């Protein structure tokens, strides 16, 4: 049930897409960037939970609770912080090397309306 726990693992963009995509994904892609960044561009199917809100004690969105998490940020550095915070709360989480910058280099990005988005 928890394929990541205790591994200190970082996923490539391809691994992240495989684990979070398809009709029955095994994990949730959790975007922890702030709201303005999310609005302009995020991965289709990602769930948004800003790191600042999580760090302030906020809870995960319902779609992410109790599921393995693949955490993504713009470049990948702060997602490591988010993974540590979530792991301390008992979540099963790993981060994505290169973050949304790497994702946007070859995979789809949408804006808040579902149209073509961008990563600033």
């Amino acid at each position: 049930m928890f394929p990541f726990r205790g591994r200190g693992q970082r996923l490539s963009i391809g691994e992240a897409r495989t684990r979070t995509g398809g009709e029955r994904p095994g994990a949730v892609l959790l975007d922890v960037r702030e709201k303005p960044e999310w609005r302009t561009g995020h991965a289709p199917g990602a769930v948004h939970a800003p790191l600042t809100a999580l760090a302030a004690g906020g809870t995960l969105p319902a779609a992410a609770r109790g599921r393995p998490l693949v955490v993504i940020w713009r470049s990948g550095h702060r997602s490591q912080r988010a993974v540590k915070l979530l792991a301390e709360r008992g979540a099963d989480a790993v981060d994505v090397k290169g973050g949304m910058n790497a994702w946007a280099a070859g995979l789809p990005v949408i804006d808040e309306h579902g149209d073509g988005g961008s990563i600033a």
Side-chain angles (χ1 to χ4, degrees):
M1 180 172 173
F2 296 107
F4 311 138
R5 193 174 305 280
R7 293 187 186 181
Q9 186 178 15
R10 299 190 77 200
L11 302 180
S12 70
I13 294 301
E15 292 168 322
R17 186 175 191 196
T18 297
R19 293 186 188 194
T20 62
E23 289 182 29
R24 297 182 70 186
V28 172
L29 184 63
L30 186 70
D31 191 321
V32 294
R33 295 174 302 141
E34 297 306 313
K35 199 169 194 172
E37 295 170 298
W38 167 265
R39 284 185 189 137
T40 60
H42 57 273
V47 173
H48 186 227
L51 179 56
T52 53
L54 293 172
T59 60
L60 285 170
R65 291 183 201 145
R67 306 244 342 253
L69 304 172
V70 174
V71 181
I72 198 163
W73 182 271
R74 185 177 64 234
S75 66
H77 297 293
R78 292 190 194 173
S79 59
Q80 291 176 333
R81 180 175 163 215
V83 165
K84 182 178 179 189
L85 177 106
L86 292 164
E88 288 170 354
R89 295 182 186 179
D92 182 15
V94 295
D95 81 304
V96 179
K97 293 183 283 188
M100 283 302 299
N101 287 334
W103 185 283
L107 296 174
V109 175
I110 58 172
D111 67 12
E112 67 181 326
H113 304 291
D115 299 323
S118 64
I119 306 302

